[in-house]
Amino acid sequence: MMFLILSGCATGREGSGVLHHGRDSSLAQAVKLYDEGKEHEAEKWLREVVSKEGVAGVTDEALFRLSLIQLKAGIVREDMEQSLKRLETLQRDYPSSPWTRLSVPLVAVIKEAQRQNREIRALGREIPGLKGHNLSLIKENKELRKTIEQLKHLDMELEKKPRRR
């Protein structure tokens, strides 16, 4: 018992585990704020938790929750890199955490979204060149139609003239 008191831990149950003074209360506050729709405030509390030395069961959950909050903002800006880095940190530092298992498909989705965003940007860069090429094809098509009409007219003129034998 003395070890728990000196190590900064209290023996209390909240969910399933030992409470870590300050750390778990910051996480609990962040979760409460998030549940109340105060994401910006929750993000501040979660940043505080992840900025300190890692504690299994606290930091891993904070990393996951913070990644989700940042991902929401990142999707709008097409910048999901910060969320991805936090989730990769979660996977590297807490491989047996249940939050890590939850993060695996999310990381795959983020990476695929990033790949698709890169492809969209590359295709977007091709559009001006394709527009120019399209305009030149339209012009060439008009010229060919004009030439065809001239050939038709010439053919009709030749049919009108008597043929020489």
Side-chain angles (χ1 to χ4, degrees), residues 9-149:
C9 296
T11 57
R13 291 199 175 266
E14 184 169 303
S16 60
V18 175
L19 298 177
H20 301 275
H21 277 305
R23 300 296 294 283
D24 63 336
S25 62
S26 295
L27 177 60
Q29 180 66 21
V31 171
K32 179 179 178 278
L33 288 167
Y34 184 83
D35 289 345
E36 294 172 354
K38 300 174 182 174
E39 290 181 16
H40 186 68
E41 291 86 5
E43 184 178 356
K44 289 178 186 176
W45 284 91
L46 290 169
R47 284 181 187 276
E48 177 185 320
V49 173
V50 301
S51 69
K52 296 177 182 168
E53 186 177 338
V55 174
V58 177
T59 308
D60 51 341
E61 181 178 351
L63 280 166
F64 184 81
R65 290 180 179 275
L66 182 57
S67 296
L68 289 180
I69 290 172
Q70 292 172 334
L71 180 60
K72 183 178 177 183
I75 289 172
V76 174
R77 296 186 319 270
E78 292 185 11
D79 177 22
M80 297 171 269
E81 194 62 34
Q82 194 171 26
S83 272
L84 180 61
K85 285 180 182 177
R86 289 197 191 279
L87 290 170
E88 288 172 338
T89 298
L90 169 63
Q91 291 176 353
R92 182 186 65 243
D93 295 351
Y94 304 94
S96 61
S97 168
W99 299 101
T100 296
R101 287 189 298 281
L102 290 171
S103 74
V104 171
L106 190 54
V107 166
V109 168
I110 291 171
K111 287 182 177 182
E112 177 60 19
Q114 288 177 323
R115 186 195 64 75
Q116 289 178 0
N117 284 341
R118 285 189 300 273
E119 189 174 326
I120 288 168
R121 283 190 294 276
L123 292 171
R125 287 188 295 271
E126 290 179 22
I127 289 174
L130 293 172
K131 283 182 179 178
H133 185 66
N134 190 34
L135 288 174
S136 70
L137 289 174
I138 289 171
K139 183 179 176 184
E140 184 179 337
N141 192 7
K142 284 181 182 178
E143 290 172 3
L144 287 172
R145 285 178 194 226
K146 184 178 175 183
T147 302
I148 289 171
E149 286 301 316

